[in-house]
Each structure stands twice: as C-alpha cells, then as structure tokens.
Amino acid sequence: MATVEPWLRGTLSEIEPVRRAVLHALELAEEDVLRWTRDLDDETLEMEPLGLPSVAFQMRHITRSIDRLLTYADGRGLSEEQLLELRSEHVAGSGGEELRRQVSEVIAKVRPFAMRFSQDQLNEPRGVGRAGLPTTLAGLLIHIAEHTQRHVGQLITTAKVAVALKDAQGS
C-alpha cells in the first residue's frame, strides 16, 4: 500500500496555504530522496547512466541550491564558500549516508526559516543572483519547493536507469 503524500495527511493545518504547500512539497521530496537512494551503494549513486547527471549530483544540487535560495530569501548575497560549492556539485565526494543526512538537514532548515516571517513580509522584494533579479520572499520559498521537486524527479529517474543498467550488466 502506498503511503499517503504529506499534503493529504491533514498536517500543518495551522500554517497558511502558501507556506503549508512549500513545506509539504519539501516533506515529500525528502521522503522520495530517502526512499529512492536507501538501497543504492556509493558507486551507483555516482553513476552517470546514459550521460545523465548522477543521483549523488542531484542530492548535492538539492542541498546546495536550497542553501543558496535561503540566502537570497534572507536578503543576502552568496558567500565565497557557497560559490565554490556551486562549482563543485558534479565532483564526487560524500557517500550516500552523508548525502542523505545533508538533504534532511537542509530541508529541516526551511520550516523555521519560513515561519520567521509574517504573512505581509512574504510579499517583500528579494533579489536573486549577482544581477539581483526581482522576486519576493514568497517567490523564493515557492521556488525552493518546485526546484527541489524537479531535481527529485530527475534523481528518481536516474536511480531507476542506473539500477536497470547495473542489473543488465550483472545478468
């Protein structure tokens, strides 16, 4: 039996709809990352089957992009460390346990961050990137959810392809 998705569990009802949707989407993203990576060894996590970015890349990108987007949402620019991490997302490194921990930790940061602001503050302008492209605090929170979901979808597809190719090689 499939687990009911977070948005259908009746949770977070005390939170207004925009933030609730963001938090539910991130809950689902975390559950999917953990589900689809728990049985993958480190070699499979770093595979780039058919030229696809690896599952590990997707995990690093999810973690680091949420961190960057939270920085913009906080009205700050990126640090040198964040810029270095951006450029190294394709570089293999941490194993599956560490990557799963990082994903869970960064997603856990979003709720208290999002709840720091009043409803009125969600419409406050924010800038993204060096060009300071215009958005709002709500726009950034929503983008964190949609961007994370997009990369989780890619992670799941890559995990399925990597496992199928490994199985085919082992046959």
Side-chain angles (χ1 to χ4, degrees):
M1 182 169 131
T3 303
V4 176
E5 291 186 5
W7 67 281
L8 292 170
R9 294 178 192 161
T11 60
L12 306 178
S13 58
E14 72 282 5
I15 300 172
E16 44 65 44
V18 170
R19 284 185 271 213
R20 182 180 331 130
V22 167
L23 298 174
H24 279 153
L26 291 172
E27 270 185 70
L28 180 59
E30 179 183 13
E31 290 173 10
D32 282 343
V33 167
L34 298 177
R35 174 179 173 218
W36 288 98
T37 65
R38 71 176 166 235
D39 296 328
L40 302 181
D41 59 28
D42 291 349
E43 178 187 344
T44 307
L45 286 170
E46 293 292 352
M47 281 178 66
E48 294 181 344
L50 308 175
L52 295 169
S54 70
V55 170
F57 162 79
Q58 298 296 348
M59 294 169 79
R60 286 187 292 271
H61 182 68
I62 288 166
T63 300
R64 295 172 187 181
S65 64
I66 290 174
D67 179 64
R68 290 189 297 270
L69 291 165
L70 287 174
T71 299
Y72 293 133
D74 206 24
R76 297 180 290 119
L78 300 183
S79 69
E80 284 302 314
E81 182 180 348
Q82 287 171 309
L83 293 170
L84 285 171
E85 288 177 342
L86 171 63
R87 292 188 288 270
S88 67
E89 288 178 354
H90 282 285
V91 177
S94 303
E97 289 274 326
E98 176 65 13
L99 289 170
R100 283 185 286 277
R101 184 191 64 74
Q102 290 173 6
V103 168
S104 292
E105 280 184 4
V106 78
I107 288 174
K109 285 182 179 179
V110 177
R111 181 176 181 166
F113 179 89
M115 299 313 293
R116 281 186 5 208
F117 302 94
S118 71
Q119 182 70 27
D120 290 339
Q121 288 176 296
L122 294 177
N123 290 320
E124 288 181 357
R126 294 291 192 269
V128 175
R130 289 187 177 144
L133 299 173
T135 190
T136 62
L137 175 56
L140 275 157
L141 291 173
I142 291 165
H143 184 65
I144 287 169
E146 68 187 4
H147 182 261
T148 300
Q149 284 287 327
R150 178 184 315 140
H151 285 280
V152 169
Q154 293 174 2
L155 176 151
I156 292 168
T157 300
T158 303
K160 288 178 178 183
V161 172
V163 168
L165 288 174
K166 267 188 104 167
D167 288 350
Q169 292 170 354
S171 303

